[in-house]
Amino acid sequence: RDIRIAVSGEASGKDAPHRDPHRKLVDTCQLALGQQHDEFRAASGRTVFETAARIGAIGESDAARLASNYELQTVARNRLQLIRGQAVQAAESASELAAQALICGYTDPDLFATVLKGAEAEAQQHWINIIEPSKHAGFDVLGGTAGEDTDPVKARDEGKLEEIGFSDGRDVATIVDNWLKGKYANSADEAQQRLSQLAPGLLTEIGATQHPDRAVQLFDRLLNQLDENVKPFERLREDKVLADLVVDALGNTESVSEIFANTPDLVDAAFSGSSEAIETGAAWLKAFPIPRRHGEPEQMFDALNAWIWENRARLCVTWMQGLVSLEFSGQIFAALADAVVTEVYEILAERAEDKEAGGGLALMAMGRYGGGWLAADEPLEIVYVYDPKTKDKPSPEAVRKYTDLAAQVTEELTRPRALGTIGEVPLFDVELQRRPGGLSGEVASSVGVYLNYFVSQADARDSLGLMRARPICGPARLVQRIEDGISDVVTRPRQANQVIRDIDRARTQELRSDGATSIWQIERLRGGLADLDLIVQCLQLKHGPEHPYVFTSDPARAIASLSRAGCLDAEVADELEDSLNYWQRLRAIQGFTGVIDPQAGRPKKRLAKLLARAAGVIYFSSSEPLIRGHAERTQAHYNRLILGQSQDAPQAKAG
């Protein structure tokens, strides 16, 4: 509309065949949009088309063709002038055309002439489409003209929608039509208002997400959550940060988009900008406390399910607002998981309370969850340990009771529950393979069996896993006994070098059988997240007997403790911490977007931009070299610190 107004009355331009169609189109864009976008005024033709596409004035594919055609025509004209030695626009003879074609890389003059004519015709038609007055009373959802439900116009609108990335143009056009015929029709002076006036580029940006059709449907739901005084299209037009947040949250986040669109508090916080920076789990729980107990256990479990999923979405949205770092999001989410697991355990334990039977059941977090960090899509690695003894002797009743309680906790954590329009989802997935005996072992182990397993039966990998064992909840006396027992096991004199060799051998076999096939599979990548944590665990095992304070389940704190103890060079510690934060950021964005391997299907523009932001680079193309750099540096530290290789020894490349 801005372009059409600026050149209204210029119909005579259609009768001026001597004007270059591409130059005319570039001039029109500069004239119409230069007042609002300074970059248009002195930009090259290619930049004009690319910028027009970015703000939604021209489709991306159209802009790419126009830019390419513009450069071809410019080159052809310049080389013709070089041949003639004077300013000319077109070849005047067959021999001159043949020479011009040849110098432009075409051996067939007729083909060259056809290509030039096609390029000129496309530019001319785009210019006509822009300045031609509307012949219909309606609107075109993408900025052209539209009729009153006439089939040709609808087909064109739907075609444009599909051209910019939507799968079902008809469905999307209907949704948008309802926006502008509904309560947003009068958001400006005239009811028949084009969407490009309300929110320029909105559909273009949604079309550049991974799930554009679903994003439009979710945006339709989001509009219903807003206060009637909010003018969403005006807000999105004026606030690019908000627009980016809404588009990415709805179109690029597999696990949280539905929650965001259907939760009034989240939508209100996004549009009002009322959220605050929070970087600790304790602060988060204070700001968004766990639901109070009420009603029957099932009601409480349903409330917990809604709360934890809402906070998954809230964490993602808060990061997009720049109020929390991605690596801190994992720490916060682990704290939320602790709160939920503890609440489920306590509700069920109260129902099964029998003080005469045993000394209680404790829940231990293991793996990355034990380390106090959890991505939004990760399972909880849990081990159940109980004390079967009464005052006199072990009680068979206690064994049965705590085994049943452990099974009930697992069942309630993993049971799918209805959650709005999402369907049925569990609180968490749970993995129990860290228990003694692995998946073939008992669901819950007595404290004696648990500790003896690590003394006499556990392999090197299981022993190393104790570095990430962390009590979540349980009777204080039992928790203390478990912690003391673990401390005794890990500080016992042992052949640390032999254990480390066994661990390296197991890791090598894992990589051979199930190594990374993509550089984005950072947990299986040589030098990736798993290898970095392996370095830290091995150093804890090696130096812990002399420096017990390095035994902490948090890998970041462990790195700092090892450095403070003189077991790690300060520069190496900084590099390990830097890479740990980097891997955690990538793992967090994978959890929010649901895209583990972008190489499996190249990400669209908006997702690529989101992944680049998480990786700390401007362009997505720069992400993979940076991943490779972190992996190779971590692998070098692994070779030197764990395998004892010199710094100059040949290294295996990442992946």
Side-chain angles (χ1 to χ4, degrees):
R1 181 173 176 273
D2 293 331
I3 296 176
R4 191 174 297 137
I5 290 174
V7 295
S8 60
E10 197 180 344
S12 59
K14 284 187 270 184
D15 301 321
H18 63 278
R19 289 187 62 188
D20 181 303
H22 287 95
R23 187 67 256 173
K24 182 168 59 176
L25 184 57
V26 169
D27 291 345
T28 300
C29 289
Q30 288 176 321
L31 172 65
L33 302 175
Q35 295 177 357
Q36 296 179 340
H37 304 277
D38 291 339
E39 63 266 38
F40 275 103
R41 295 177 181 174
S44 66
R46 171 173 284 278
T47 301
V48 165
F49 293 131
E50 289 176 347
T51 309
R54 178 171 55 79
I55 68 171
I58 297 177
E60 284 192 11
S61 57
D62 289 339
R65 289 197 308 274
L66 289 168
S68 179
N69 291 344
Y70 174 78
E71 291 182 349
L72 171 65
Q73 191 173 55
T74 300
V75 168
R77 184 181 63 248
N78 291 344
R79 291 182 180 178
L80 177 62
Q81 292 175 357
L82 180 66
I83 294 171
R84 290 280 297 273
Q86 60 185 25
V88 290
Q89 297 297 321
E92 296 180 357
S93 66
S95 61
E96 197 170 68
L97 177 63
Q100 183 189 22
L102 193 60
I103 201 172
C104 289
Y106 286 79
T107 56
D108 186 338
D110 292 337
L111 176 60
F112 175 67
T114 300
V115 171
L116 283 181
K117 287 180 181 178
E120 292 177 357
E122 183 170 12
Q124 180 71 7
Q125 185 59 55
H126 270 281
W127 186 80
I128 292 172
N129 289 345
I130 288 175
I131 65 97
E132 186 177 52
S134 173
K135 296 179 181 179
H136 307 282
F139 59 85
D140 176 342
V141 297
L142 290 177
T145 60
E148 297 177 348
D149 298 331
T150 58
D151 289 342
V153 173
K154 277 192 171 182
R156 189 186 71 188
D157 290 348
E158 294 160 12
K160 285 185 177 182
L161 285 163
E162 290 169 6
E163 184 176 307
I164 65 171
F166 294 95
S167 298
D168 189 342
R170 181 186 299 272
D171 185 48
V172 174
T174 300
I175 291 173
V176 175
D177 186 61
N178 289 336
W179 294 343
L180 297 183
K181 287 182 178 179
K183 64 180 180 179
Y184 299 110
N186 295 315
S187 59
D189 293 338
E190 299 180 5
Q192 296 295 343
Q193 188 71 252
R194 289 175 40 207
L195 181 63
S196 59
Q197 277 296 101
L198 296 174
L202 176 62
L203 289 183
T204 302
E205 292 303 321
I206 292 178
T209 64
Q210 291 301 101
H211 309 287
D213 292 77
R214 187 181 68 179
V216 167
Q217 295 171 355
L218 292 175
F219 183 70
D220 191 47
R221 296 183 199 168
L222 180 149
L223 293 175
N224 294 326
Q225 312 299 333
L226 289 168
D227 184 273
E228 61 181 9
N229 295 320
V230 175
K231 296 182 178 180
F233 295 105
E234 283 82 347
R235 285 293 315 282
L236 294 171
R237 181 184 62 202
E238 296 166 358
D239 189 341
K240 186 177 186 304
V241 173
L242 174 62
D244 285 343
L245 184 157
V246 170
V247 170
D248 285 329
L250 298 180
N252 285 327
T253 58
E254 186 77 23
S255 62
V256 303
S257 55
E258 289 262 4
I259 305 293
F260 174 58
N262 289 283
T263 306
D265 287 349
L266 294 180
V267 174
D268 178 68
F271 274 81
S272 66
S274 60
S275 300
E276 297 181 357
I278 302 176
E279 304 234 322
T280 68
W284 191 279
L285 284 165
K286 184 177 180 181
F288 310 105
I290 196 166
R292 291 184 177 182
R293 294 186 195 178
H294 64 282
E296 295 297 317
E298 280 305 313
Q299 291 179 278
M300 188 59 197
F301 295 148
D302 288 342
L304 287 173
N305 202 42
W307 181 81
I308 195 64
W309 278 95
E310 179 179 322
N311 276 281
R312 277 182 172 96
R314 192 185 302 277
L315 264 174
C316 182
V317 170
T318 305
W319 169 66
M320 289 182 177
Q321 291 174 304
L323 298 175
V324 66
S325 301
L326 272 178
E327 58 266 36
F328 288 136
S329 73
Q331 296 173 15
I332 292 171
F333 193 54
L336 302 184
D338 284 354
V340 170
V341 170
T342 300
E343 191 71 4
V344 171
Y345 163 80
E346 290 181 352
I347 291 172
L348 294 174
E350 283 181 5
R351 189 165 60 182
E353 186 65 22
D354 181 0
K355 295 183 179 180
E356 298 300 320
L361 175 75
L363 276 65
M364 304 288 294
M366 304 291 287
R368 191 147 51 245
Y369 177 37
W373 196 95
L374 197 66
D377 63 340
E378 283 189 287
L380 307 182
E381 295 187 60
I382 294 177
V383 170
Y384 298 100
V385 181
Y386 63 85
D387 180 3
K389 292 186 178 181
T390 60
K391 291 181 180 180
D392 301 322
K393 59 182 179 179
S395 165
E397 177 64 21
V399 174
R400 183 196 61 77
K401 170 188 170 182
Y402 295 131
T403 301
D404 289 348
L405 179 56
Q408 290 173 30
V409 171
T410 302
E411 182 181 356
E412 296 301 341
L413 288 173
T414 58
R415 175 182 293 173
R417 291 181 170 82
L419 187 64
T421 58
I422 293 181
E424 293 191 339
V425 292
L427 283 161
F428 295 98
D429 291 327
V430 173
E431 291 185 357
L432 303 176
Q433 71 268 28
R434 297 274 185 172
R435 64 184 185 258
L439 293 177
S440 61
E442 297 291 337
V443 172
S445 303
S446 72
V447 62
V449 169
Y450 178 73
L451 295 175
N452 287 335
Y453 172 78
F454 290 100
V455 173
S456 59
Q457 301 178 48
D459 60 19
R461 178 55 67 88
D462 284 341
S463 297
L464 207 63
L466 283 179
M467 303 301 165
R468 298 291 170 266
R470 177 176 61 87
I472 306 171
C473 53
R477 182 177 297 179
L478 176 58
V479 167
Q480 187 62 54
R481 183 179 173 188
I482 295 171
E483 289 180 332
D484 291 344
I486 290 175
S487 177
D488 177 64
V489 170
V490 298
T491 57
R492 287 189 177 196
R494 68 179 71 214
Q495 294 292 331
N497 291 336
Q498 181 59 49
V499 173
I500 290 172
R501 281 194 294 270
D502 292 343
I503 290 168
D504 176 66
R505 190 178 300 113
R507 174 63 175 156
T508 301
Q509 290 175 350
E510 288 175 1
L511 290 173
R512 286 174 179 169
S513 62
D514 192 27
T517 57
S518 163
I519 199 169
W520 287 88
Q521 294 171 334
I522 59 175
E523 295 186 76
R524 289 188 282 161
L525 179 69
R526 189 182 294 276
L529 181 55
D531 276 358
L532 192 149
D533 197 28
L534 205 57
I535 292 172
V536 180
Q537 291 177 46
C538 286
L539 292 177
Q540 288 178 285
L541 183 70
K542 184 175 182 179
H543 300 289
E546 295 181 13
H547 307 282
Y549 61 86
V550 306
F551 286 121
T552 169
S553 61
D554 182 341
R557 289 177 57 193
I559 292 171
S561 297
L562 287 162
S563 176
R564 191 165 64 252
C567 306
L568 259 183
D569 179 79
E571 184 176 348
V572 173
D574 287 344
E575 290 181 353
L576 289 175
E577 184 178 6
D578 178 51
S579 291
L580 175 64
N581 290 337
Y582 183 78
W583 296 132
Q584 288 178 339
R585 288 197 300 272
L586 291 188
R587 186 65 193 89
I589 197 63
Q590 289 174 336
F592 287 137
T593 63
V595 178
I596 301 299
D597 180 12
Q599 288 185 342
R602 299 305 294 180
K604 291 186 179 180
K605 182 182 75 172
R606 298 257 358 159
L607 177 60
K609 186 176 180 181
L610 205 63
L611 294 171
R613 176 183 167 187
V617 294
I618 297 176
Y619 302 108
F620 177 72
S621 58
S622 303
S623 302
E624 293 183 5
L626 191 57
I627 293 174
R628 196 173 299 280
H630 275 278
E632 291 178 354
R633 187 176 71 178
T634 299
Q635 183 63 21
H637 289 319
Y638 183 94
N639 292 341
R640 186 172 62 83
L641 296 171
I642 305 306
L643 303 184
Q645 296 179 2
S646 67
Q647 197 164 2
D648 297 329
Q651 300 174 17
K653 289 193 175 181

